[in-house]
Amino acid sequence: MSTILKSSLVCFLLLVISTSCKEENKATPELETPVIESVAEKKLSATETIEEAYKKDNFLSHDAIEVDMVISFGGNVRLDAKMTYLTNSTKGKIELKDGSSIYYDGAKVFHSADLKNAKAARFDAYTWMYFLLFPNKLNDQGTIWSDVESAELNNKTYNSQRLTFKANTGDAPDDWYIVYSDPKTNLIDYVAYIVTVNKSTEAAEADPHAIGYSNFKMIDGIPVAHNWEFYEWSSTNGLGKVIGDATIRSAKFVKTAPNAFDIPKGFIEK
């Protein structure tokens, strides 16, 4: 092949490659259109936004959470115990400092024969767990949420939502909660609520309360409120006087043994 012909062929090939590259470059912008939304572009509900603030996925990646906690009302210690709960809340146990204990497995509650306040065993089994794990249980089965509204509480404006439950949900489906979350951090500062265990809905609504969460500490990157205050509360006047408090002295995530929540022999089902 002559030198001139070789040069012509090389020029032709370069021209074809150049043209192809230009055509590919023209098509590139269409290929860059993302198919999957980024986290920032996800359309999260108000409760999902709160769950994200509390790192729910990270929380559930752990097996269980263990807290050493003291709860007082009216100046008297109501409960002083180590509490261990599976992060999915299906099993738990409360080991009181006096040596007595309460276990729950799903809907069943058991307590040791020496438990002093046996009448409150079911209440204790589920209530403190619910208040601790509340930010990660907002979308449990049976939950019904109102639309978000702005509400004033303790001289601050919050995002407010009312939580009710479908019939036959848990031990107390007639309970309701009103959540006050910070619009900037999406953390929950207060929750108003009624407790219908062992009382009628009418009686419970005549005596509503609120819990305030504070002193958030990061446990493995997850915010956990280490101080709680319990208040009288009303829809018209908001927070009333403080009636109780709780302090988490320590909190950590733990890996439990397969038999950690097995009900000990001699325990009484409540």
Side-chain angles (χ1 to χ4, degrees):
M1 184 181 293
S2 69
T3 302
I4 295 175
L5 188 55
K6 287 181 180 178
S7 299
S8 299
L9 182 57
V10 170
C11 290
F12 175 78
L13 290 173
L14 290 174
L15 179 62
V16 170
I17 292 171
S18 176
T19 303
S20 298
C21 289
K22 288 179 181 179
E23 292 301 320
E24 288 179 5
N25 289 338
K26 289 180 181 179
T28 300
E30 295 179 8
L31 296 176
E32 289 177 349
T33 303
V35 177
I36 302 174
E37 290 182 318
S38 67
V39 173
E41 293 172 329
K42 287 181 180 178
K43 302 298 182 183
L44 298 177
S45 68
T47 53
E48 287 172 336
T49 300
I50 294 172
E51 288 175 336
E52 191 164 273
Y54 283 88
K55 313 299 181 186
K56 181 178 179 178
D57 289 344
N58 189 3
F59 180 85
L60 292 176
S61 71
H62 294 280
D63 178 41
I65 185 169
E66 177 186 293
V67 298
D68 186 3
M69 188 174 193
V70 59
I71 302 167
S72 301
F73 282 90
N76 299 312
V77 174
R78 171 69 174 76
L79 203 69
D80 189 351
K82 181 176 75 172
M83 306 181 188
T84 309
Y85 305 112
L86 292 181
T87 56
N88 64 14
S89 73
T90 57
K91 295 182 180 183
K93 60 183 176 181
I94 300 174
E95 299 167 286
L96 283 75
K97 290 296 191 290
D98 65 6
S100 60
S101 53
I102 303 169
Y103 282 62
Y104 78 84
D105 186 347
K108 293 184 176 181
V109 173
F110 303 83
H111 66 83
S112 57
D114 58 349
L115 183 68
K116 293 177 181 178
N117 193 3
K119 184 180 179 180
R122 288 192 71 87
F123 176 88
D124 288 337
Y126 296 121
T127 302
W128 315 120
M129 174 276 294
Y130 197 72
F131 284 151
L132 177 67
L133 305 187
F134 186 76
N136 299 291
K137 294 180 65 62
L138 304 182
N139 288 298
D140 277 3
Q141 187 173 0
T143 55
I144 303 171
W145 288 95
S146 69
D147 292 334
V148 178
E149 297 180 354
S150 291
E152 295 287 330
L153 189 67
N154 207 24
N155 299 316
K156 183 175 176 178
T157 301
Y158 288 98
N159 288 334
S160 174
Q161 275 187 286
R162 184 184 178 94
L163 168 63
T164 54
F165 302 90
K166 295 179 181 178
N168 303 315
T169 300
D171 262 25
D174 293 325
D175 286 1
W176 51 252
Y177 297 79
I178 299 175
V179 175
Y180 298 89
S181 58
D182 189 306
K184 294 181 180 179
T185 66
N186 295 311
L187 296 178
I188 297 171
D189 280 1
Y190 299 97
V191 179
Y193 63 93
I194 63 167
V195 175
T196 59
V197 174
N198 300 323
K199 64 176 71 174
S200 67
T201 303
E202 292 74 18
E205 289 187 331
D207 187 31
H209 298 104
I211 179 173
Y213 294 103
S214 61
N215 189 21
F216 285 88
K217 295 181 182 180
M218 302 302 285
I219 309 298
D220 290 357
I222 297 166
V224 176
H226 279 55
N227 289 101
W228 307 354
E229 283 192 314
F230 298 93
Y231 303 83
E232 293 180 346
W233 176 91
S234 73
S235 58
T236 53
N237 299 320
L239 299 176
K241 71 177 183 180
V242 176
I243 58 174
D245 63 81
T247 300
I248 294 178
R249 291 176 291 225
S250 64
K252 62 182 178 179
F253 290 103
V254 295
K255 180 68 177 176
T256 58
N259 62 347
F261 299 99
D262 287 356
I263 311 304
K265 290 183 179 180
F267 271 48
I268 301 166
E269 184 172 358
K270 191 65 179 176

